[in-house]
Amino acid sequence: MSATLLRIHPENPPQNRLLQAVEVLRKGGVIIYPTDTIYGLGCDIHNAKAVEKLCRIKGVHPDKANLSFICSDLSHISDYAHGITTPVYKVLKKALPGPFTFIFEASPKAPRYGGVKRKTVGIRVPDHNICLGLVRELGNPIITTSIRDDDELLEYTTDPDLIFEKYRPLVDLVIDGGYGHNIASTVIDCTNDDFELIRQGAGDIEQYL
C-alpha cells in the first residue's frame, strides 16, 4: 500500500477534491490532513476497523487511545457529549471554530473502540476549511489524533511533503493543504461544568470566559 498525495487549497477547497478524500474515508481509509493547529491522522468515526488501523499507526491500543472527534459545527457535539450546560455552551459558541479540544462526558451514542465504553470524549471544531469541508461531505465526525515527530526539537512535522514521505506506506491519503503549524490545540476539561486547562496550546480560553 502506498498513499496518494492530494493537494487541496486551504482557503477555498474544491468540492471534487474534498469528495475524493471523503471516498477514502468511506472505504475505511486513514488519511492525514491539515487543521488550524497541526496535521492530524483521521478516519471515519463509525468505522471500527479504520480506528484500529489509526491506533496501530499511532502505536496505541484502541481502548487506551485518547482520540478526539472533529465536528463541523456544534450540532454534532450533543450527539456524542453528555451534560453540556447553557453556560458551557455559550463559551463553546464563542470559542469555536477554533484551536481547542473540549473534553466532555461521553454520551451513550459515543462509539466504543476496543470494546470499551468511553467515559469521556474530546471534541474539536477547527477553524480550517479543509477539515470542516471533509466532515460536512462525510456527514459525520472524523476521529482525529495528532501526528508527532520523533525529533525532540521539532515535535510536530509541518511540511506536507515530509509528512507524505514518512507516512506514505502507512496511510491511504495525505492531504497537502500547505505548511501546518507546530503548536497543538489547547485542551480544556469541561466534565465538571468548569473549564479546567489540561494543556495550553494554540488557543487562549481566557478571552472567551
Side-chain angles (χ1 to χ4, degrees):
M1 182 184 89
S2 184
T4 307
L5 183 66
L6 181 66
R7 298 187 197 278
I8 301 183
H9 194 283
E11 301 298 322
N12 301 300
Q15 191 188 24
N16 64 331
R17 297 250 161 156
L18 290 174
L19 288 172
Q20 214 177 317
V22 165
E23 191 59 27
V24 173
L25 290 168
R26 287 208 176 108
K27 287 178 174 167
V30 174
I31 69 170
I32 292 177
Y33 60 98
T35 73
D36 54 352
T37 54
I38 53 184
Y39 269 80
L41 269 173
C43 67
D44 186 340
I45 193 172
H46 296 309
N47 192 314
K49 281 210 167 87
V51 175
E52 283 170 18
K53 181 176 168 181
L54 180 147
C55 289
R56 274 201 307 277
I57 295 166
K58 183 88 172 173
V60 291
H61 195 275
D63 62 6
K64 300 274 195 304
N66 288 321
L67 304 171
S68 300
F69 309 159
I70 293 228
C71 300
S72 58
D73 55 40
L74 293 178
S75 64
H76 278 305
I77 292 178
S78 55
D79 291 343
Y80 302 102
H82 191 59
I84 302 175
T85 60
T86 304
V88 169
Y89 188 79
K90 282 181 176 167
V91 173
L92 295 187
K93 275 196 87 158
K94 285 189 280 187
L96 297 174
F100 298 97
T101 301
F102 290 102
I103 297 171
F104 293 101
E105 276 182 43
S107 79
K109 276 191 187 173
R112 296 167 178 243
Y113 304 121
V116 175
K117 188 176 182 329
R118 310 249 133 209
K119 287 194 173 73
T120 59
V121 290
I123 305 283
R124 286 215 65 203
V125 183
D127 189 9
H128 197 288
N129 289 340
I130 290 176
C131 42
L132 294 181
L134 289 174
V135 173
R136 285 191 196 109
E137 295 295 348
L138 183 63
N140 55 254
I142 293 172
I143 285 287
T144 189
T145 184
S146 58
I147 59 169
R148 294 179 86 89
D149 205 289
D150 301 328
D151 184 334
E152 285 178 19
L153 292 173
L154 186 72
E155 196 172 1
Y156 300 105
T157 306
T158 58
D159 182 337
D161 289 323
L162 292 178
I163 292 169
F164 181 60
E165 282 310 310
K166 181 174 178 178
Y167 286 93
R168 193 177 188 168
L170 302 172
V171 301
D172 301 279
L173 179 75
V174 175
I175 294 175
D176 175 356
Y179 272 82
H181 302 287
N182 62 355
I183 300 173
S185 64
T186 295
V187 180
I188 308 287
D189 188 341
C190 300
T191 53
N192 294 318
D193 199 21
D194 196 8
F195 294 92
E196 185 191 342
L197 183 67
I198 303 295
R199 177 183 75 195
Q200 182 61 58
D204 175 17
I205 196 63
E206 290 297 324
Q207 63 183 317
Y208 301 108
L209 300 179

